Amino acid sequence: MTSSLIIELGHLLNISIKAGTPLLLASLGEVYAERSGVLNLGLEGIMLIGAATGFIVAYSTGCPELGVLAAIVAGAIIGLLHAFVCISLQANQVVAGLALVMVGTGLSSLMARDYVGIALKRALRPVKIPGLSRIPIIGEGFFHHDILVYASYFITLILWFIMYKTKYGIWIRAVGEDPSAADAMGVNVYLVRYICTTFGGAMAGLAGAHISLAYTPMWVEGITVGRGWIALALVIFAMWDPLRAMIGAYLFGTTEVLQYWLQMPLQAMGIDPSLLGTFPYVATIIVLLVGSFERIRKRIGAPASLGKPYVRGE
């Protein structure tokens, strides 16, 4: 390979991972929520609230790290609210999730109405990892990022380990598969679902913060542009597995970037580059449509009690 091609490939990988990180963070939280049996279709709304909260706090204080913490707290609060509505009040989880999208869209616009078009003075900047960042292609791709990208690597591995190598992961999967049996074994079904759903909200808030504080450090309405829906599809695509979610997120990130990276070659062939940009959304619709069939969901490993309220004794 020529040096220029190596540089271009490293740059492409770098941007793809950066673009895929919000999808990864949101989908990781949703994996845990759905593994416990709670469906949250409101990721888009929570991400918007997280993005708005993080941006406002970061802009007002000049400290993006505080913005990240504020976004996590905001997302956790919304996740806790969703948990209360779906677990304690036993509301329809699909309706509750869609309501969250509408609330999040309106609330984020209201919160940040005075910040439209304003760029963040101090954003989360990329930091090179000494030594590792010098590896051709891989170094530029994986080890020249902001702190949230690096955090996503560790979060993914930790969540995979907890899910499959600890008793807590067994509890979560048991609650999502058969809450009555888990309850009989002494597992507090309601507590597990509350924790997982609140955690899912916190991760969605963190995903929103990455968009407004690092990926696109400015505020525009609807800044998430449907990434919450893509994250939902990623959960199904990954078959509720954190490591597969990472792979899927980077694949979707790559398709988002390729529409710009291949703009000149595609135009030369008479192809509109924006068609490539529609792929993640088309794939999302297909995956969500396929995942709506009960028989297919069972075959790909969906939690048996996903979306079903649990009432002790019934």
Side-chain angles (χ1 to χ4, degrees), residues 13-216:
L13 183 58
N14 178 279
I15 301 176
S16 298
I17 290 175
K18 190 174 182 178
T21 296
L23 303 177
L24 173 60
L25 293 171
S27 62
L28 288 174
E30 183 63 11
V31 164
Y32 265 64
E34 293 193 15
R35 278 287 192 176
S36 73
V38 179
L39 176 64
N40 186 357
L41 294 181
L43 290 185
E44 180 77 4
I46 301 177
M47 287 175 69
L48 280 169
I49 291 176
T53 303
F55 184 88
I56 293 170
V57 172
Y59 185 84
S60 302
T61 63
C63 181
E65 292 79 12
L66 281 179
V68 170
L69 292 176
I72 293 173
V73 172
I77 292 173
I78 302 300
L80 181 62
L81 175 63
H82 184 70
F84 175 73
V85 171
C86 296
I87 299 170
S88 297
L89 301 184
Q90 300 173 20
N92 185 291
Q93 295 180 15
V94 174
V95 174
L98 294 176
L100 269 185
V101 175
M102 292 184 284
V103 170
T105 301
L107 185 58
S108 63
S109 296
L110 179 64
M111 291 168 57
R113 65 186 183 280
D114 296 329
Y115 298 87
V116 175
I118 296 178
L120 199 61
K121 297 177 182 177
R122 182 175 167 230
L124 294 173
R125 300 300 181 188
V127 177
K128 288 186 177 182
I129 303 298
L132 294 176
S133 61
R134 298 177 64 88
I135 302 173
I137 301 177
I138 299 298
E140 175 68 18
F142 287 93
F143 303 112
H144 185 195
H145 288 287
D146 60 83
I147 188 65
L148 292 186
V149 175
Y150 294 134
S152 70
Y153 300 159
F154 292 102
I155 292 172
T156 302
L157 295 176
I158 291 170
L159 292 181
W160 177 87
F161 183 82
I162 292 174
M163 181 67 72
Y164 295 108
K165 302 297 180 180
T166 69
K167 65 179 180 180
Y168 305 109
I170 295 174
W171 292 352
I172 293 170
R173 286 180 285 150
V175 167
E177 289 296 329
D178 192 339
S180 298
D183 198 358
M185 291 189 300
V187 178
N188 189 326
V189 174
Y190 300 109
L191 179 60
V192 170
R193 288 189 168 184
Y194 257 96
I195 291 174
C196 288
T197 307
T198 303
F199 173 72
M203 291 295 289
L206 179 60
H210 184 264
I211 296 173
S212 63
L213 302 182
Y215 187 63
T216 310

